[in-house]
């Protein structure tokens, strides 16, 4: 299951929020927030580190390390529990609402006695928030949207990364059991949906009993929901449902096709089968009249008998893939192996957690041909960037170039798109970078027209090659910008500016639906990790999965290109670059 890092990160972040709610020292709250991020992104499991090892993690001092040790030993930290007890439970519930910060939550409790989401909804509908200082009609709209996001996120769905962690560990456990012929995950996880409701795991074996018993007795199984001969369902200690099905080996292909879904895709394939007087189920493709099994062992065989190519799992959403397959027009989807380099990453010079040398070495270990370092620019003031710091980093990047298996290094920056579309540095300074990513980091609530103009102005700067995390959304936490993205897509196509597919599982921005729209305008894309730690670099798999769901080929994505072609694009010769 997940490393202890995630639990410790959540605990320290909660403590930072509690300090802020209670009006405590802002520097102390910030210190715990930084420590939470550092531990969350640390490559080693903190449960295996002693006090001295913990203190080697950036931003983890003696006091925080002691609290972590206490939590790992006993499961509790008295100081944090005392702070938690001093704050009404209702206020702690309110701060889970995206868009509602700790200070406003405390005001609502102290001024209006609000201590639950239901009470808050009643107060908004009664327009009682508008009399409070710092609140207004726009604040009410934002809070209502935040409650909606929270409720959607609470519908039993988790981020793809959390689901993948569980699924891969279960697959590894079951694959080692005697009699296992094949084992994998299916369902929406195999289709690379951004959030997952439950996990489907399939095993091909002659006998099911040992696999059903094994999944029921896993150390992270909190509850056995159902235990049968064909299916066992468990709930993990994190509340995630896992459904295990054991199929005869000869039915593997049909079962994998059936349980991968989606439901709408399967309805289409069954309709084709019916027209051919066939029946398609999880056990095979059968002749309706005779009951004879025609094929079942591989997905390729099942699709071929229906007159289709094997449709990639990420396309199985009933968005035209069946018709395209029948016409022989399915794209050759981009693969993770096609990605030659990562064009948006951070180091500890700004808000990253690892030094430059560690990030470069980890990228080289992944087999990249090139790699860009793009730390934040000065207008994001909390990062304390200066001209001198970024130029000194450039010298270090140049010195490291080619030292790791010939991997080429690009020195870039992530610029901030200001409220009027302005960027951090003047054009003559920007000209010195190999790569400029530009992103919105603040002023999210501007009017749609202002937001649209703002992003388009950044696209029109000849030094901006990529718009980073274009909608700024955070899944279940922050909605995307209310901008006219069709106008943005049109501007990107006109200026030759690429749009990022940010691979961080909390972002996956652009969404697959946005990418499909943008591609129709002729936009190019960059699949980047936005890594702030060496452990974030593998997130590229989720960005590639999102790109596949949007029908992208390798040629649509600039960081699949050879370096010479990429450099031409970055130099400004972007439209139609070959």
């Amino acid at each position: 299951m997940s490393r202890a890092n995630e639990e410790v990160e959540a605990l320290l972040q909660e403590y930072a929020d509690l300090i802020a709610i209670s009006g405590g020292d802002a520097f102390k709250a910030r210190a715990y927030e930084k420590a939470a991020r550092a531990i969350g992104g640390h490559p080693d499991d903190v449960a295996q580190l002693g006090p001295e090892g913990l203190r080697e993690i950036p931003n983890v001092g003696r006091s925080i390390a002691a609290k972590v040790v206490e939590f790992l030993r006993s499961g509790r930290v008295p100081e944090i529990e005392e702070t938690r007890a001093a704050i009404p439970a209702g206020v702690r519930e309110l701060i889970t609402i995206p868009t509602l910060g700790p200070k406003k939550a405390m005001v609502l409790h102290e001024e209006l006695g609000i201590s639950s989401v239901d009470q808050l909804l009643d107060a908004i509908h009664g327009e009682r928030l508008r009399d409070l200082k710092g609140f207004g009609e726009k604040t009410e709209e934002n809070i209502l949207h935040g409650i909606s996001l929270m409720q959607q996120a609470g519908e039993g769905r988790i981020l793809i990364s959390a689901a993948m962690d569980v699924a891969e560990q279960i697959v590894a456990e079951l694959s080692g059991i005697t009699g296992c012929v094949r084992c994998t995950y299916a369902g929406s996880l195999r289709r690379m949906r951004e959030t997952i409701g439950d996990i489907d795991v399939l095993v091909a074996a002659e006998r099911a009993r040992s696999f059903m018993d094994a999944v029921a007795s896993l150390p992270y199984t909190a509850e056995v929901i159902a235990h049968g001969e064909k299916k066992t369902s468990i709930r993990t200690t994190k509340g995630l449902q896992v459904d295990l099905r054991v199929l005869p080996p000869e039915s593997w292909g049909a079962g994998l096709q059936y349980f991968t879904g989606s439901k709408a895709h399967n309805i289409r394939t069954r309709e084709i089968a019916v027209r051919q007087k066939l029946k398609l189920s999880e056990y095979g493709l059968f002749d309706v009249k005779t009951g004879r099994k025609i094929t079942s062992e591989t997905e390729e065989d099942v699709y071929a008998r229906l007159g289709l190519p094997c449709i990639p799992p990420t396309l199985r959403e009933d968005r035209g893939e069946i018709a395209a397959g029948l016409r022989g027009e399915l794209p050759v989807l981009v693969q993770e192996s096609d990605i030659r380099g990562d064009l948006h990453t951070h180091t500890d010079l700004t808000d990253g957690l690892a030094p430059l040398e560690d990030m470069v070495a980890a990228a080289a270990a992944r087999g990249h041909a090139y790699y860009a370092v793009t730390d934040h620019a000065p207008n994001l003031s909390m990062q304390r960037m200066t001209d001198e710091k970024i130029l000194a980093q450039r010298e270090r990047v140049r010195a490291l170039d080619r030292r790791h298996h010939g991997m080429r290094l690009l020195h870039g920056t992530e610029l901030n798109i200001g409220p009027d579309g302005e960027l951090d540095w003047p054009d003559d300074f920007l000209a010195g970078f190999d790569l400029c990513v530009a992103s919105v980091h603040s002023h999210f609530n501007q009017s749609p027209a202002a937001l649209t103009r703002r992003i388009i102005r950044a696209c029109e700067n000849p030094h901006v090659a990529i718009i980073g995390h274009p909608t700024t959304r955070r899944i279940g936490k922050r909605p995307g910008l209310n901008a006219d993205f069709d106008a943005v897509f049109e501007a990107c196509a006109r200026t030759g500016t690429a749009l990022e597919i940010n691979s961080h599982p909390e972002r996956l921005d652009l969404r697959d639906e946005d990418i499909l729209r943008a591609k129709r305008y002729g936009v190019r894309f960059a699949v980047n990790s936005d890594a702030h730690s060496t452990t974030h670099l593998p997130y590229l798999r989720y960005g590639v999965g999102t790109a596949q769901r949007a029908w992208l080929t390798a040629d649509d994505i600039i960081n699949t290109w050879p370096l010479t072609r990429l450099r031409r694009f970055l130099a400004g010769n972007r439209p139609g670059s070959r």
Side-chain angles (χ1 to χ4, degrees):
M1 292 294 287
S2 57
R3 301 174 305 153
N5 301 42
E6 296 173 13
E7 291 185 68
V8 174
E9 179 184 17
L11 179 76
L12 297 182
Q13 183 58 58
E14 180 195 6
Y15 192 36
D17 291 339
L18 294 174
I19 294 168
I21 293 170
S22 60
D25 185 344
F27 289 102
K28 182 177 180 181
R30 181 66 175 153
Y32 276 90
E33 186 176 329
K34 287 182 176 180
R37 289 185 61 254
I39 286 174
H42 192 64
D44 299 324
D45 188 340
V46 294
Q48 309 302 319
L49 304 178
E52 295 305 316
L54 287 166
R55 289 178 61 189
E56 292 179 3
I57 301 174
N59 301 311
V60 177
R62 186 184 302 275
S63 176
I64 293 176
K67 289 183 177 64
V68 173
V69 169
E70 176 67 13
F71 176 72
L72 294 173
R73 183 185 64 80
S74 67
R76 57 191 295 268
V77 180
E79 185 177 338
I80 296 178
E81 291 186 351
E82 290 168 10
T83 308
R84 189 186 290 139
I87 296 169
V91 178
R92 299 201 300 274
E93 180 183 355
L94 294 180
I95 67 169
T96 63
I97 301 172
T99 74
L100 183 64
K103 291 182 180 178
K104 277 189 164 60
M106 200 64 182
V107 169
L108 291 171
H109 180 74
E110 292 176 344
E111 298 292 329
L112 300 178
I114 294 173
S115 58
S116 72
V117 174
D118 288 341
Q119 290 176 353
L120 178 56
L121 285 169
D122 289 342
I124 291 173
H125 294 145
E127 299 184 354
R128 290 189 286 133
L129 270 61
R130 300 181 188 185
D131 296 330
L132 300 177
K133 184 178 180 180
F135 289 77
E137 188 174 352
K138 186 66 176 176
T139 308
E140 291 176 345
E141 291 176 8
N142 290 338
I143 293 173
L144 285 172
H145 192 79
I147 292 172
S148 175
L149 285 172
M150 181 182 71
Q151 291 171 339
Q152 291 172 25
E155 292 175 353
R157 301 194 70 83
I158 65 171
L159 296 179
I160 185 174
S161 54
M164 189 69 77
D165 180 53
V166 174
E168 290 185 334
Q169 290 190 57
I170 291 176
V171 168
E173 294 265 7
L174 299 181
S175 295
I177 295 176
T178 300
C180 180
V181 178
R182 295 186 182 182
C183 182
T184 192
Y185 52 83
S188 57
L189 183 59
R190 188 169 180 235
R191 302 198 313 274
M192 296 297 280
R193 289 281 304 273
E194 63 190 35
T195 60
I196 308 300
D198 52 45
I199 295 173
D200 295 293
V201 176
L202 303 183
V203 167
E206 296 292 349
R207 296 179 177 82
R209 178 70 179 269
S210 58
F211 300 95
M212 299 303 187
D213 291 345
V215 79
S217 60
L218 290 170
Y220 38 82
T221 295
E223 175 189 5
V224 179
I225 302 169
H227 193 304
E229 292 183 8
K230 295 182 179 180
K231 176 183 174 183
T232 290
S233 297
I234 65 166
R235 197 175 313 281
T236 71
T237 52
K238 298 293 186 181
L240 181 62
Q241 181 169 325
V242 180
D243 297 327
L244 169 66
R245 294 174 176 86
V246 179
L247 301 166
E250 64 270 15
S251 297
W252 177 256
L256 187 57
Q257 192 278 332
Y258 181 88
F259 289 112
T260 294
S262 65
K263 181 179 179 180
H265 175 85
N266 284 355
I267 288 172
R268 296 285 187 188
T269 54
R270 287 200 296 272
E271 287 173 348
I272 294 174
V274 168
R275 288 198 295 271
Q276 298 181 25
K277 295 183 170 48
L278 302 172
K279 178 184 176 182
L280 178 61
S281 75
E282 64 267 44
Y283 295 106
L285 189 62
F286 299 86
D287 183 288
V288 171
K289 187 174 182 179
T290 66
R292 180 177 64 87
K293 182 188 290 186
I294 296 172
T295 188
S296 63
E297 288 191 13
T298 71
E299 286 186 303
E300 290 81 1
D301 290 345
V302 170
Y303 278 108
R305 181 60 182 79
L306 294 174
L308 290 163
C310 188
I311 297 175
T314 45
L315 294 188
R316 300 180 194 176
E317 298 288 356
D318 190 27
R319 294 195 289 202
E321 70 277 7
I322 297 289
L326 291 170
R327 295 193 306 267
E329 295 177 358
L330 282 176
V332 178
L333 297 180
V334 63
Q335 303 296 317
E336 189 175 359
S337 58
D338 293 325
I339 302 295
R340 296 178 187 239
D342 200 335
L343 301 180
H344 180 180
T345 68
H346 297 272
T347 76
D348 61 359
L349 184 63
T350 54
D351 60 345
L353 302 173
L356 171 66
E357 290 77 8
D358 289 359
M359 293 298 289
V360 169
R366 291 182 56 78
H368 287 322
Y370 47 80
Y371 177 76
V373 179
T374 56
D375 274 313
H376 288 288
N379 286 357
L380 201 62
S381 56
M382 70 180 71
Q383 306 305 336
R384 300 180 181 177
M385 178 57 78
T386 65
D387 295 7
E388 292 74 21
K389 285 182 179 179
I390 201 73
L391 292 174
Q393 184 189 64
R394 184 174 299 164
E395 293 303 313
R396 292 170 61 201
V397 168
R398 300 293 185 241
L400 288 169
D401 189 27
R402 295 182 188 269
R403 288 194 181 182
H404 290 273
H405 310 294
M407 184 178 74
R408 300 308 307 269
L409 297 182
L410 304 175
H411 187 242
T413 183
E414 184 183 10
L415 301 165
N416 308 288
I417 304 175
D420 295 318
E422 70 277 14
L423 303 175
D424 306 67
W425 279 300
D427 283 355
D428 59 346
F429 196 86
L430 295 180
F433 290 100
D434 298 319
L435 165 68
C436 292
V437 179
S439 310
V440 172
H441 291 107
S442 63
H443 299 84
F444 304 124
N445 296 321
Q446 289 179 302
S447 71
L451 286 167
T452 304
R453 286 195 302 270
R454 176 182 179 185
I455 301 172
I456 289 175
R457 184 180 171 192
C459 293
E460 291 173 341
N461 186 298
H463 299 291
V464 172
I466 301 169
I467 300 296
H469 44 76
T471 76
T472 80
R473 74 153 180 174
R474 307 211 37 137
I475 298 172
K477 296 180 180 179
R478 185 171 70 211
L481 296 175
N482 185 20
D484 180 355
F485 276 97
D486 283 291
V488 172
F489 299 156
E490 186 176 26
C492 286
R494 170 172 52 83
T495 60
T497 308
L499 286 170
E500 180 174 72
I501 301 171
N502 189 295
S503 301
H504 195 292
E506 291 183 6
R507 290 189 184 273
L508 293 177
D509 181 12
L510 291 169
R511 303 176 306 155
D512 55 350
E513 296 94 334
D514 298 325
I515 300 165
L516 282 163
R517 283 166 49 213
K519 184 178 178 180
R520 288 196 285 268
Y521 287 89
V523 174
R524 299 289 195 184
F525 304 89
V527 177
N528 297 324
S529 69
D530 193 5
H532 287 64
S533 161
T534 56
T535 60
H536 296 169
L537 292 171
Y539 286 162
L540 281 173
R541 70 188 296 192
Y542 304 121
V544 170
T546 301
Q548 290 179 344
R549 289 177 57 79
W551 297 53
L552 294 192
T553 68
D555 195 58
D556 294 316
I557 298 168
I558 65 173
N559 50 324
T560 68
W561 298 350
L563 184 60
T564 51
R565 182 181 177 189
L566 176 66
R567 284 195 184 278
R568 288 201 305 272
F569 178 90
L570 299 177
N573 300 322
R574 295 195 290 273
S577 175
R578 292 289 183 271

